[in-house]
């Protein structure tokens, strides 16, 4: 396994929103009460481990099929609660023999959810990482920090990665739009800083932006010398986006790359394997098989599907 990872000519990058990957214990100072055993959702250790292994299975499935299969090199995760969850995912789940390491944020998000980056130390040698804060507009709660990490890939080049989980649309798309634009501007400022040192820097920006392709924040990033690599990505079993809302497919999850990476052959697709989807009985077709439908436990992996990007090194 290690030999195949070192000899591969592809960098495989995955983005996945895990749909509230909480443990079943209370984190002091965080509003995680709905994910406790005695709460309405009745979130307990059995449900936690079922979900954790389902997320691990999802990541494994992103490596391809047959003899071409290999573990993804980098996995950007949104909606993970804490180090306890990430330690369990990397050391106690179905991924325990994969050799993954991780870095993550520890944001002031009131619910205590963060973003993380799984990486194979055989193909991404971590150089540095830190959190990038985003100041909330007046009257808004703190959002998730942006995770920045840099590392050396097998070609000897430095790769800069940012993992994002922008503010949701809970209070309406229009009223929350300025907050997501702040996230986009923070990303742009960071990229400008990187490019001052290396104008041809290799950069990946990925995550749940809570915006679709035509929304302001996504357009803003696309206009800043970033290539929207995941635009138009589809699944092989009928998924036309990573998320389905009221019968309509769309992608709230996105992967952007710098022009230097886009010059190499990049290919993005959505993983909609049968174990990740189910029949949409109301609107027809398929939909992601989510963990909860409202407050009713449904047992699925996530309400988002993963995006896989391969880059020819």
């Amino acid at each position: 396994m290690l030999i195949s990872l070192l000899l591969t000519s592809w960098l495989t990058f995955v983005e996945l929103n895990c749909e509230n990957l909480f443990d079943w214990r209370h984190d002091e100072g965080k509003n995680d009460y709905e994910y406790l055993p005695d709460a309405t959702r009745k979130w307990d250790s059995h449900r936690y481990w079922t979900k954790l292994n389902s997320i691990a299975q999802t990541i494994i499935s992103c490596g391809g099929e047959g003899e071409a299969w290999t573990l993804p090199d980098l996995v950007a995760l949104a909606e993970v609660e804490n180090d306890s969850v990430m330690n369990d995912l990397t050391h106690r789940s179905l991924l325990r023999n994969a050799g993954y390491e991780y870095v993550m944020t520890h944001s002031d998000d009131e619910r205590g959810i963060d973003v993380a980056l799984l990486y194979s130390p055989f193909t991404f040698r971590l150089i540095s990482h830190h959190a990038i804060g985003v100041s909330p507009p007046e009257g808004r709660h703190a959002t998730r920090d942006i995770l920045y990490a840099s590392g050396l890939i097998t070609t000897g080049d430095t790769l800069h990665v940012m993992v994002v989980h922008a503010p949701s649309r809970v209070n309406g798309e229009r009223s929350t739009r300025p907050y997501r634009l702040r996230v986009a501007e923070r990303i742009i400022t960071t990229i400008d800083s990187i490019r001052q040192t290396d104008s041809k820097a290799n950069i990946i920006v990925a995550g749940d932006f809570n915006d679709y392709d035509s929304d302001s924040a996504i357009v803003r990033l696309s206009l800043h010398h970033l290539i929207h690599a995941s635009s138009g990505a589809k699944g092989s079993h009928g998924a036309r986006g990573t998320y389905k809302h009221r019968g309509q497919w769309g992608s709230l999850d996105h992967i952007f790359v710098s022009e230097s990476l886009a010059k190499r052959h990049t290919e993005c697709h959505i993983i909609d394997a049968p174990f990740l989807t189910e029949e949409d009985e109301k609107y027809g077709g398929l939909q992601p098989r989510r963990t909860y439908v409202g407050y009713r436990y449904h047992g699925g992996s996530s309400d988002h599907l993963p995006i896989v990007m391969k880059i020819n090194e």
Side-chain angles (χ1 to χ4, degrees), residues 1-2 4-6 8 11-12 70-75 90 97-103 117-126 151-154:
M1 173 59 70
L2 300 188
S4 66
L5 280 171
L6 287 168
T8 180
L11 176 74
T12 304
T70 183
L71 278 169
D73 302 288
L74 296 155
V75 185
T90 52
N97 294 321
Y100 279 125
E101 297 179 11
Y102 77 90
V103 289
L117 180 70
L118 284 182
Y119 64 93
S120 167
F122 308 109
T123 54
F124 182 82
R125 193 174 75 194
L126 185 69
L152 293 177
I153 56 177
T154 54

Side-chain angles (χ1 to χ4, degrees), residues 34-51:
E34 64 180 306
Y35 284 92
L36 298 177
D38 58 354
T40 306
R41 294 187 186 275
K42 302 186 184 305
W43 189 244
D44 56 20
S45 61
H46 174 73
R47 290 182 175 182
Y48 167 70
W49 282 105
T50 298
K51 182 177 177 78

Side-chain angles (χ1 to χ4, degrees), residues 153-165:
I153 56 177
T154 54
T155 59
D157 296 319
T158 298
L159 178 64
H160 305 267
V161 181
M162 279 180 272
V163 185
V164 181
H165 185 191

Side-chain angles (χ1 to χ4, degrees), residues 36-237:
L36 298 177
D38 58 354
T40 306
R41 294 187 186 275
K42 302 186 184 305
W43 189 244
D44 56 20
S45 61
H46 174 73
R47 290 182 175 182
Y48 167 70
W49 282 105
T50 298
K51 182 177 177 78
L52 200 75
N53 279 314
S54 183
I55 294 294
Q57 183 184 6
T58 301
I59 292 169
I60 292 168
S61 74
C62 290
E65 298 179 354
E67 293 183 359
W69 178 88
T70 183
L71 278 169
D73 302 288
L74 296 155
V75 185
L77 299 175
E79 292 197 17
V80 291
E81 185 183 19
N82 52 32
D83 283 296
S84 176
V85 168
M86 293 304 301
N87 273 313
D88 285 342
L89 182 63
T90 52
H91 293 109
R92 302 179 68 192
S93 77
L94 293 174
L95 287 175
R96 60 186 175 274
N97 294 321
Y100 279 125
E101 297 179 11
Y102 77 90
V103 289
M104 72 179 303
T105 57
H106 300 89
S107 307
D108 291 330
D109 175 80
E110 62 174 346
R111 297 177 62 227
I113 56 175
D114 280 290
V115 297
L117 180 70
L118 284 182
Y119 64 93
S120 167
F122 308 109
T123 54
F124 182 82
R125 193 174 75 194
L126 185 69
I127 298 172
S128 67
H129 68 93
H130 62 266
I132 302 168
V134 181
S135 300
E138 186 176 354
R140 298 283 184 186
H141 293 293
T143 191
R144 279 74 56 174
D145 291 342
I146 300 164
L147 175 63
Y148 165 83
S150 65
L152 293 177
I153 56 177
T154 54
T155 59
D157 296 319
T158 298
L159 178 64
H160 305 267
V161 181
M162 279 180 272
V163 185
V164 181
H165 185 191
S168 74
R169 300 174 166 219
V170 166
N171 296 314
E173 188 280 325
R174 184 182 296 271
S175 65
T176 55
R177 186 187 305 164
Y179 207 169
R180 289 188 294 280
L181 281 167
R182 285 197 180 200
V183 172
E185 292 300 331
R186 198 73 178 88
I187 293 168
I188 288 169
T189 299
T190 303
I191 289 173
D192 287 344
S193 178
I194 294 169
R195 286 174 173 162
Q196 285 181 357
T197 304
D198 181 2
S199 61
K200 297 181 179 179
N202 298 308
I203 301 169
I204 298 175
V205 183
D208 179 355
F209 289 78
N210 270 306
D211 270 327
Y212 298 105
D213 284 16
S214 60
D215 289 322
S216 302
I218 303 304
V219 172
R220 180 77 180 89
L221 291 169
S222 298
L223 293 174
H224 197 73
H225 305 290
L226 286 175
I227 307 303
H228 193 177
S230 62
S231 181
K234 293 179 174 60
S236 58
H237 294 87

Side-chain angles (χ1 to χ4, degrees), residues 215-262:
D215 289 322
S216 302
I218 303 304
V219 172
R220 180 77 180 89
L221 291 169
S222 298
L223 293 174
H224 197 73
H225 305 290
L226 286 175
I227 307 303
H228 193 177
S230 62
S231 181
K234 293 179 174 60
S236 58
H237 294 87
R240 300 188 300 278
T242 61
Y243 187 77
K244 196 175 188 185
H245 179 64
R246 296 180 180 175
Q248 297 296 316
W249 282 105
S251 287
L252 298 172
D253 308 273
H254 305 276
I255 300 176
F256 293 88
V257 299
S258 57
E259 292 175 335
S260 56
L261 282 179

